[in-house]
Amino acid sequence: MDYTAILERIRDDVQPLLGKGRVADYIPQLGKVRPDHFGMALVTLDGRCHAVGDATVPFSIQSISKLFACTLAFQLLGEDLWQRVGREPSGNAFNSLVQLEYEQGLPRNPFINAGALVVTDVLCSRFVQAESALVQFLRRLCGKDGIDYDGEVARSELAHADRNLAMAHFMKSFGRIEMPVQAVIDAYCRQCAITMSCEELARAALFLANGGVVPWSGERVLAPSPTKRLSALMLTCGTYDEAGDFVYRVGLPAKSGVGGGIVAVLPRRWAVCVWSPGLDHSGNSLAGVQALEWLTTLTGQSIF
């Protein structure tokens, strides 16, 4: 299949959507990003990369980092991880505190902020610098040594982390957070501030399409069963409170971030990442969701 031609058609078709939506200006540093960017990269299991637009431009991956942090935490704890964070869709906004009160501080899933803070707490308990461990992990996954977090974005997030601090303190009151709250928040803000390009993120996620093995290095990241289950979690929880609509339109396991990126996988075939900073009301990339819907429509390839 000529994926490059398909991506070029998608790039042309999404032009009317570029600049629409709203950038994540509640993080001031992200509010400075031009909303008319668009990049898309698809990497097949044999390592071939098909890319268009701003596919090599680094951007703030934000909540996409939660996917890789969860993978790293599962490597450490295995199934015991699910004693500390649930596996159910939230139905609420990614930064909502509502369900924590009803459910005694147990987060619904690792992809909402509360769940990601628990995952970060796991990493902080095992690594001197959790964010550095995650950066090293991502470098191995995509085979690129230059990946790092953006200090200015991290500081911008930390200066506006009141709600995340409230969540962490609330969960700590239930014994859900073990490490000092400020250490967890610091690591979490740096984790979200990691910058990568569409090409790098698609390569990093490819182990999920390959039964848990990084194709070019042979490193086994996860066993086949946890790989399947993590992909299922992406499908049901990976795109905030719009997961049902996203699955209906796109039909792929995916994880989005308020930086405008979305990474998705098609098991046994490829991984793809799209970036466009303008967000819809749920915090997903407006043009990105449309691009992925057209990708599965034009290729006829999805998990369904």
Side-chain angles (χ1 to χ4, degrees):
M1 185 169 293
D2 190 348
Y3 290 115
T4 298
I6 290 171
L7 295 188
E8 288 172 347
R9 178 176 171 183
I10 292 170
R11 176 200 57 200
D12 294 341
D13 288 346
V14 300
Q15 291 302 311
L17 295 177
L18 302 186
K20 296 185 177 180
R22 182 177 179 179
V23 296
D25 53 7
Y26 65 93
I27 302 171
Q29 202 66 22
L30 295 186
K32 299 177 181 179
V33 179
R34 286 196 353 252
D36 58 347
H37 281 293
F38 178 82
M40 194 169 186
L42 182 150
V43 182
T44 54
L45 289 186
D46 61 4
R48 297 181 186 180
C49 181
H50 308 266
V52 294
D54 299 320
T56 61
V57 176
F59 63 91
S60 185
I61 70 172
Q62 293 295 310
S63 286
I64 297 176
S65 66
K66 297 172 184 175
L67 168 62
F68 301 103
C70 182
T71 303
L72 195 55
F74 190 89
Q75 285 185 338
L76 296 170
L77 297 186
E79 291 291 328
D80 288 344
L81 178 63
W82 311 125
Q83 301 300 313
R84 299 193 56 184
V85 61
R87 303 190 299 268
E88 294 292 334
S90 69
N92 288 315
F94 61 89
N95 58 354
S96 172
L97 291 91
V98 174
Q99 284 169 327
L100 287 176
E101 175 72 35
Y102 291 110
E103 298 175 353
Q104 298 185 313
L106 180 68
R108 274 292 179 101
N109 66 71
F111 296 151
I112 55 175
N113 285 18
L117 289 170
V118 170
V119 168
T120 302
D121 183 56
V122 171
L123 300 183
C124 285
S125 71
R126 298 297 184 95
F127 300 107
V128 175
Q129 288 188 309
E131 69 277 11
S132 296
L134 185 59
V135 165
Q136 292 296 332
F137 183 50
L138 283 164
R139 288 175 178 174
R140 293 204 315 273
L141 290 180
C142 70
K144 302 288 185 180
D145 292 333
I147 291 169
D148 211 336
Y149 68 87
D150 185 314
E152 289 189 9
V153 174
R155 287 188 289 274
S156 184
E157 294 209 36
L158 189 57
H160 297 81
D162 293 335
R163 184 170 296 214
N164 285 330
L165 279 162
M167 280 185 208
H169 281 294
F170 188 75
M171 289 188 291
K172 193 170 182 66
S173 74
F174 284 99
R176 307 294 186 184
I177 296 288
E178 298 176 356
M179 300 297 288
V181 165
Q182 193 61 56
V184 173
I185 295 296
D186 288 349
Y188 176 75
C189 289
R190 294 188 186 107
Q191 163 190 309
C192 289
I194 292 171
T195 60
M196 297 174 70
S197 69
C198 291
E199 288 189 5
E200 290 166 342
L201 274 168
R203 285 173 62 87
L206 201 58
F207 77 93
L208 289 165
N210 195 42
V213 176
V214 180
W216 41 86
S217 69
E219 177 184 354
R220 176 162 289 285
V221 178
L222 293 175
S225 183
T227 301
K228 174 195 70 177
R229 291 171 177 171
L230 184 57
S231 296
L233 202 57
M234 292 167 65
L235 188 73
T236 57
C237 307
T239 46
Y240 305 131
D241 54 332
E242 289 287 315
D245 186 66
F246 184 88
V247 172
Y248 179 83
R249 292 176 60 185
V250 178
L252 294 174
K255 184 70 196 84
S256 60
V258 296
I262 308 174
V263 66
V265 296
L266 180 61
R268 296 176 294 280
R269 294 211 179 179
W270 42 256
V272 63
C273 181
V274 60
W275 172 53
S276 181
L279 308 178
D280 63 19
H281 65 281
S282 293
N284 298 312
S285 170
L286 185 67
V289 173
Q290 184 61 70
L292 291 172
E293 180 181 356
W294 279 332
L295 175 65
T296 54
T297 299
L298 293 172
T299 62
Q301 297 174 346
S302 76
I303 67 168
F304 301 109

